[in-house]
Amino acid sequence: MLWRAYFMATLPPTPFPLRLKTPKPRILDNFRGHFIMRNLVETAGLSLGLLGLTLTTPVYATDEQVPLAKRTEESGVALDSVQQAMELPHLALSLSVDPASESIAGIARYTVKATQPLKVVEFDLDPRFAINQIAVNGQPISGRNWRNDDGLLRITLPQQLAAGSSTIVSISYDGKPRVAPKAPWDGGFVWAKTKNGTPWIATAVQTNGCDLFWPCIDHPTKRVEWLDLAVSVPKPLVVASNGTLQEVTEKDGWSTYRWQAHWPQGYGVSLQIGPYELAQETYHSRFGNAYPIKFWYLPGDKKGAKMLIGQMRDFLDFFESTIGPYPFSDEKVGLAETPHLGMEHQTINAYGNGFKLSPEGYDWLMQHEFSHEWFANQLTDETIADMWLHEGYGTYMQPLYLRWKNGETAYRVALWDLRKKIVSKVPLAPKTPVSSAYYNDDKAGWGGDIYYKGAWILHTLREYIGDEAFFAGTTRLVYGRSDPKPGNFHWRVANTDDFEQVMEEASGQDLGWFVDAYFRQAALPELVSQRDGNILKLKWKSGSKEPFILPVEVQVGGRISTVEMAGGTGQIDLESPDAHVVIDPNTKLLRYDPAIAAWQKQQAAEKDTKAAEKN
């Protein structure tokens, strides 16, 4: 394809040497020449020796945590006018990762294109890193022309950059990156070891963002078009990362892995480093193309790796037949075994579930993380408030997969398990800005609702508008077109309003009342029922200003009837005052359930009692 040739030309050498505050010659030596671009090289047929080693629970490195700067702590902070005007056609990012000192050193060499005149450029970078030098177009600039006090790195250019023009900005930095307090939910580096003491390292930065280990614009709408990533590690460690592996070189006991990725999603750029072996095979898609499935696993886990690759074939068949083509077939389907549970890194999903099967016979974690190749990496939320588009859709793909695989009963059972976890204390997709720190706010419960409530809203919508409209709308949302094929679509940014629009177009119905009640209000709609002789009266109660008009199925004896709820009310003749009635017999409606509310209250009280007894 044409874009494959875009960066075939080589780049000039690094414009300045890497300078470290503390001499680290073995790191410095491996940085020489990392920014020389290589021609695209496919790595077909790569195979490593399969050794039998047994692993135990990973041993995590300990480090005194330095509090994050306020800006670094949050991901997806609203863009200011400077960052809005910056396009990033290319980034050559060179990193050296030293397990012995648990430190990294890097050079980020950006091509920055201005859409408006720029005198200043800005990047996000955790201020715990020491910045050694910044250069513009190969010329070092004075320290007076940049500052990074709070995690927003502001660089004053030697001369104003005109709209439509480009410049090269190089940033040299080093330090000890934040150790993840609770990977993958609270981000940073994970420094672990295998049973035999070999370093095992991973990054997971979703809630805090890419600026935890490289200079970036930490916002979902700002992607680098081309990333050339060179990572140096001590031999015999292996680096698994995004995109396609271009080459591996060795020098002075260190190996440098060069990866290239097209339009990587910010927090989806990741390092997985360990004594990996590689399992791989080629997948032949229903769309006529073929692409590799590659799994970097630890020695001793060959059997599990083969099992998971087999499941991946099944997952691909499901997703491609249900949603559309795998979005990154020109690169790979990638997985890497990690010392944390998992994360949806683009083309290199982190996997740490220990090859555990669910009772339904599949690895639920890998299926969920892989769903994010469609819902996070291909379709990216516009703001943190729209994060349910990632997690709600990703969660709903599991009941749908079980329906596809095992039938309707498996689908309903999986959904009911999710229903008990919905708390609905705050709006799921508020109109006001949401901080990424909200994800870990247990009191609000939003970090759970974006999964479980999001999935249940999608279930209710599908039942309401039907499969044809629901899946047509979903495909349009993900790809921006109704006829996606390999190579004819681009990654997309969307918000909750976009979701509403595509579903209205697909169904031919106004869904403003539906979206307002479920996404913009905190409490779930409540269905009030009252029997008056032979008549069953129904009324929806919702915090929304518009009437909630979702139809309600009612089973009377062996017959199911649909009660239309024009204006939010409806009724049905039961034909007998003694008739047995079941409302919503097939569990299609997401609504307030007093039984679940009472059970949740009981569970919370028991938890508080146990905590008090412990103290």
Side-chain angles (χ1 to χ4, degrees):
M1 298 174 66
L2 289 177
W3 62 262
R4 278 262 181 212
Y6 188 72
F7 284 99
M8 290 293 286
T10 59
L11 292 176
T14 306
F16 54 87
L18 181 65
R19 298 177 182 174
L20 303 174
K21 285 189 171 181
T22 303
K24 300 175 185 175
R26 59 178 176 174
I27 295 179
L28 179 60
D29 288 347
N30 279 275
F31 266 86
R32 305 292 186 189
H34 277 193
F35 290 128
I36 298 176
M37 181 71 171
R38 305 294 184 183
N39 287 345
L40 290 164
V41 177
E42 295 299 329
T43 55
L46 181 61
S47 178
L48 302 177
L50 302 177
L51 304 176
L53 295 177
T54 304
L55 299 175
T56 59
T57 303
V59 180
Y60 290 92
T62 58
D63 186 24
E64 183 179 350
Q65 289 295 319
V66 178
L68 287 172
K70 181 174 175 52
R71 184 180 181 91
T72 307
E73 185 177 14
E74 294 190 28
S75 184
V77 175
L79 297 170
D80 62 19
S81 59
V82 171
Q83 291 185 328
Q84 287 177 9
M86 293 172 58
E87 291 183 352
L88 306 174
H90 184 247
L91 166 62
L93 176 62
S94 188
L95 292 171
S96 187
V97 179
D98 186 4
S101 61
E102 295 178 3
S103 64
I104 66 173
I107 302 175
R109 188 176 189 230
Y110 272 100
T111 300
V112 179
K113 182 178 180 181
T115 60
Q116 298 292 332
L118 288 174
K119 181 60 178 174
V120 172
V121 294
E122 295 176 346
F123 298 95
D124 297 296
L125 181 64
D126 188 345
R128 78 187 60 219
F129 292 112
I131 296 177
N132 304 301
Q133 194 174 78
I134 294 177
V136 178
N137 289 329
Q139 298 301 313
I141 63 173
S142 167
R144 295 189 300 271
N145 292 329
W146 60 266
R147 51 187 305 124
N148 187 34
D149 297 332
D150 60 354
L152 178 63
L153 175 58
R154 291 177 53 86
I155 303 168
T156 302
L157 301 174
Q159 58 186 23
Q160 180 168 284
L161 187 64
S165 299
S166 298
T167 191
I168 305 292
V169 178
S170 301
I171 304 162
S172 167
Y173 66 102
D174 72 281
K176 293 173 73 72
R178 185 196 197 212
V179 175
K182 189 181 179 183
W185 301 280
D186 197 356
F189 263 67
V190 179
W191 304 94
K193 291 186 177 180
T194 62
K195 184 181 179 181
N196 67 356
T198 303
W200 187 18
I201 305 160
T203 61
V205 298
Q206 180 181 20
T207 55
N208 305 114
C210 45
D211 50 336
L212 283 188
F213 73 100
W214 55 284
C216 62
I217 298 182
D218 183 20
H219 194 276
T221 65
K222 286 292 181 177
R223 295 196 188 189
V224 173
E225 183 176 355
W226 282 95
L227 170 65
D228 282 289
L229 175 65
V231 184
S232 294
V233 292
K235 292 176 62 178
L237 297 180
V238 174
V239 180
S241 193
N242 311 84
T244 56
L245 183 62
Q246 304 298 295
E247 67 172 2
V248 182
T249 57
E250 297 180 357
K251 182 180 179 182
D252 299 333
W254 284 62
S255 300
T256 298
Y257 287 77
R258 290 179 171 85
W259 291 89
Q260 185 178 78
H262 195 213
W263 294 116
Q265 202 249 71
Y267 76 79
V269 174
S270 180
L271 309 179
Q272 285 72 222
I273 301 169
Y276 290 128
E277 297 176 354
L278 179 64
Q280 61 181 332
E281 68 174 52
T282 299
Y283 181 77
H284 296 275
S285 164
R286 64 177 54 240
F287 290 92
N289 59 334
Y291 44 87
I293 303 174
K294 298 189 175 188
F295 185 13
W296 284 264
Y297 65 93
L298 292 179
D301 288 342
K302 179 180 179 181
K303 182 178 178 181
K306 286 188 173 182
M307 176 190 71
L308 208 56
I309 284 182
Q311 289 190 39
M312 192 60 69
R313 292 194 299 268
D314 217 28
F315 298 160
L316 280 163
D317 192 17
F318 162 71
F319 280 110
E320 290 203 327
S321 63
T322 304
I323 308 299
Y326 175 62
F328 309 104
S329 58
D330 51 352
E331 296 182 345
K332 68 179 184 299
V333 173
L335 303 89
E337 198 170 354
T338 55
H340 64 84
L341 186 59
M343 181 58 66
E344 63 269 19
H345 304 134
Q346 187 170 312
T347 72
I348 188 66
N349 282 277
Y351 174 79
N353 199 37
F355 307 100
K356 298 171 187 173
L357 294 178
S358 70
E360 295 80 16
Y362 77 115
D363 194 303
W364 68 269
L365 178 88
M366 196 63 259
Q367 201 273 355
H368 175 81
E369 301 303 346
F370 189 53
S371 72
H372 286 307
E373 295 285 26
W374 284 261
F375 304 103
N377 300 333
Q378 167 60 26
L379 170 71
T380 301
D381 56 21
E382 185 174 60
T383 71
I384 297 297
D386 304 300
M387 195 172 172
W388 76 270
L389 286 168
H390 294 190
E391 302 299 353
Y393 257 112
T395 301
Y396 190 44
M397 289 301 107
Q398 292 195 310
L400 283 177
Y401 171 70
L402 292 173
R403 180 179 181 233
W404 176 85
K405 177 176 177 282
N406 295 331
E408 194 69 21
T409 298
Y411 170 78
R412 301 284 169 181
V413 169
L415 272 169
W416 189 243
D417 283 342
L418 300 178
R419 175 62 186 89
K420 292 176 281 188
K421 300 174 183 178
I422 298 172
V423 296
S424 280
K425 294 178 183 177
V426 297
L428 190 68
K431 287 282 192 179
T432 53
V434 169
S435 164
S436 63
Y438 207 31
Y439 181 90
N440 289 314
D441 186 338
D442 292 336
K443 191 172 182 181
W446 179 82
D449 273 356
I450 58 176
Y451 294 79
Y452 315 124
K453 186 176 180 180
W456 256 84
I457 292 172
L458 293 171
H459 160 68
T460 298
L461 179 64
R462 184 184 68 80
E463 293 284 7
Y464 176 53
I465 66 176
D467 278 16
E468 183 177 353
F470 177 81
F471 289 114
T474 298
T475 296
R476 186 66 179 261
L477 184 70
V478 170
Y479 300 99
R481 59 191 303 160
S482 58
D483 61 341
K485 295 179 178 61
N488 75 349
F489 55 86
H490 189 267
W491 69 278
R492 286 175 51 76
V493 172
N495 57 32
T496 305
D497 289 337
D498 297 322
F499 167 79
E500 177 184 342
Q501 180 180 341
V502 298
M503 289 302 178
E504 286 182 338
E505 291 171 354
S507 66
Q509 300 186 51
D510 170 39
L511 295 173
W513 58 273
F514 184 96
V515 168
D516 188 60
Y518 278 129
F519 291 103
R520 311 302 188 188
Q521 310 298 319
L524 291 173
E526 181 179 358
L527 184 62
V528 180
S529 63
Q530 181 181 1
R531 295 181 71 152
D532 184 5
N534 291 352
I535 303 299
L536 175 68
K537 297 181 179 180
L538 301 172
K539 181 178 180 180
W540 281 112
K541 290 174 61 178
S542 167
S544 178
K545 293 180 181 179
E546 297 184 66
F548 191 73
I549 59 174
L550 196 64
V552 179
E553 287 186 349
V554 176
Q555 181 175 328
V556 183
R559 187 187 68 200
I560 296 177
S561 302
T562 299
V563 179
E564 299 298 331
M565 300 292 288
T569 63
Q571 64 181 42
I572 185 173
D573 188 344
L574 305 177
E575 298 180 357
S576 167
D578 300 322
H580 177 65
V581 173
V582 179
I583 297 175
D584 188 26
N586 293 312
T587 325
K588 295 182 177 182
L589 309 178
L590 176 58
R591 58 190 172 114
Y592 172 76
D593 188 324
I596 290 179
W599 174 77
Q600 289 175 336
K601 186 176 180 180
Q602 174 184 280
Q603 293 292 103
E606 289 179 358
K607 183 179 179 180
D608 291 343
T609 300
K610 288 180 181 178
E613 291 173 350
K614 206 171 186 181
N615 295 331

